[in-house]
Amino acid sequence: MSYKKILTIQDISCVGQCSLTVALPILSACGNETCILPSAVLSTHTGGFSGFTFRDLTDDMPLIQKHWQKEGIKFDAIYTGYLGSIKQIGYVQDILNTMGNETCIKIVDPAMADNGKLYSIFNNEYVEAMKPLCGSADILLPNITEACFLTDTEYKEAYDEEYVKKLCLKLTALGAKTVVLTGVGFTPDTTGAAVYENGEISYYTHHKFAKGSHGTGDIYASAFTGALLRGKTVYGSAKIAADYTYKCIENTIGDESHWYGVKFETAIPYLIKLLEEN
Ligand code: PXL
């Protein structure tokens, strides 16, 4: 069985089921060695909690990288998510450029926005700084909102295939080779992913829950990366990630006290089943 070494770079939100607290268990459950580089430590995520703490780890990054270089450590894949500062984006770019082995797959989730809005700590300067990082991705994993910010496109709630294709084309014009665009639905009660690979677009569509859930972008990106590194195709990984994320939401819906995330742990056996069956 293949056994890949992945580095994932994103924050630790101590409470809130997102970023590293979902990436690490999901990538591990997929059977991959998972190394982490925390971009920041927050007491909670920023989506609905107030007064959260934020410890920026930007200055630690080059020191950690230097030690890994001294040890001769290289990665089969590098997957980046929520980052802590503009300065950090430059360090992450250098890590993408230098810390992979010859076949390293670079996956960038430009985790910075949803539902037409940037997350609270980000601004347009951050968006501009993210563009080159996104351009260096082998696989770019934005949601529709992030894709609009990255391509200076007007965000729309309702759109057609032409709009989605244009977004994908503009994202590849940044330099990204392949795009997996999430949250794509052409009717109010459907959603899914658009996979743009080698100039061809394919869709995976399923039922959409009425209410959005926190952290599902990170769950999707982690399951996608985990499946891809287990040897699944890009489309196959996009489908596994969608089915798993759907199950995580289904397992949480109805529990109003669990507004801050989804119970992704309860669906890990299902993720493993999907990996075995697909
Ligand atoms: O799920 C994305 C995410 C990751 N990390 C932090 C966040 C969010 C979304 O709000 O606030 C700290």
Side-chain angles (χ1 to χ4, degrees):
M1 192 202 281
S2 76
Y3 181 67
K4 302 285 190 188
K5 190 191 200 82
I6 303 179
L7 169 65
T8 183
I9 309 174
Q10 40 192 315
D11 74 279
I12 297 177
S13 288
C14 299
V15 171
Q17 289 171 311
C18 67
S19 41
L20 279 184
T21 67
V22 308
L24 186 50
I26 291 172
L27 290 165
S28 300
C30 291
N32 303 293
E33 178 183 352
T34 309
C35 307
I36 62 165
L37 181 49
S39 57
V41 180
L42 295 86
S43 49
T44 63
H45 63 59
T46 65
F49 295 100
S50 57
F52 49 84
T53 68
F54 185 97
R55 171 82 54 202
D56 183 1
L57 297 180
T58 301
D59 293 341
D60 290 280
M61 284 189 155
L63 306 177
I64 292 171
Q65 182 187 6
K66 219 172 186 177
H67 179 222
W68 288 346
Q69 283 169 327
K70 193 165 136 276
E71 295 291 335
I73 294 165
K74 293 265 182 179
F75 302 99
D76 297 306
I78 303 176
Y79 148 43
T80 73
Y82 190 103
L83 303 178
S85 69
I86 290 178
K87 185 173 169 198
Q88 192 170 100
I89 297 173
Y91 290 148
V92 170
Q93 182 73 69
D94 191 58
I95 290 167
L96 281 181
N97 292 345
T98 61
M99 298 305 294
N101 60 21
E102 319 76 63
T103 55
C104 177
I105 303 173
K106 297 165 195 164
I107 298 161
V108 175
D109 175 359
M112 61 181 178
D114 207 359
N115 302 312
K117 284 195 278 220
L118 288 172
Y119 295 146
S120 62
I121 71 161
F122 299 131
N123 56 24
N124 284 338
E125 210 189 329
Y126 185 87
V127 174
E128 286 307 310
M130 277 301 284
K131 288 180 182 177
L133 188 77
C134 292
S136 66
D138 292 314
I139 304 175
L140 182 61
L141 272 172
N143 60 36
I144 291 266
T145 304
E146 290 155 348
C148 288
F149 276 107
L150 289 168
T151 60
D152 304 298
T153 304
E154 186 196 350
Y155 173 79
K156 289 184 180 170
E157 294 279 343
Y159 42 77
D160 56 13
E161 286 200 32
E162 199 50 38
Y163 177 85
V164 171
K165 193 155 191 188
K166 270 202 188 131
L167 275 180
C168 291
L169 277 171
K170 287 195 205 166
L171 290 167
T172 52
L174 288 177
K177 291 193 191 82
T178 296
V179 175
V180 177
L181 186 58
T182 60
V184 177
F186 299 111
T187 60
D189 58 352
T190 61
T191 188
V195 177
Y196 186 77
E197 200 181 13
N198 303 321
E200 295 284 325
I201 194 157
S202 12
Y203 295 94
Y204 183 64
T205 305
H206 54 84
H207 164 253
K208 180 182 177 179
F209 291 102
K211 221 167 113 234
S213 305
H214 278 291
T216 48
D218 300 344
I219 288 168
Y220 185 94
S222 301
F224 172 87
T225 304
L228 190 79
L229 270 287
R230 278 291 298 274
K232 309 298 176 191
T233 62
V234 172
Y235 184 82
S237 303
K239 180 174 179 299
I240 287 171
D243 290 344
Y244 172 59
T245 307
Y246 185 92
K247 188 80 175 161
C248 294
I249 301 170
E250 193 177 54
N251 286 1
T252 312
I253 225 116
D255 182 350
E256 293 299 323
S257 70
H258 209 96
W259 59 269
Y260 52 85
V262 295
K263 301 174 181 175
F264 73 95
E265 308 85 348
T266 61
I268 282 180
Y270 177 64
L271 172 61
I272 292 168
K273 194 162 150 262
L274 289 172
L275 287 169
E276 282 164 358
E277 283 173 359
N278 285 270

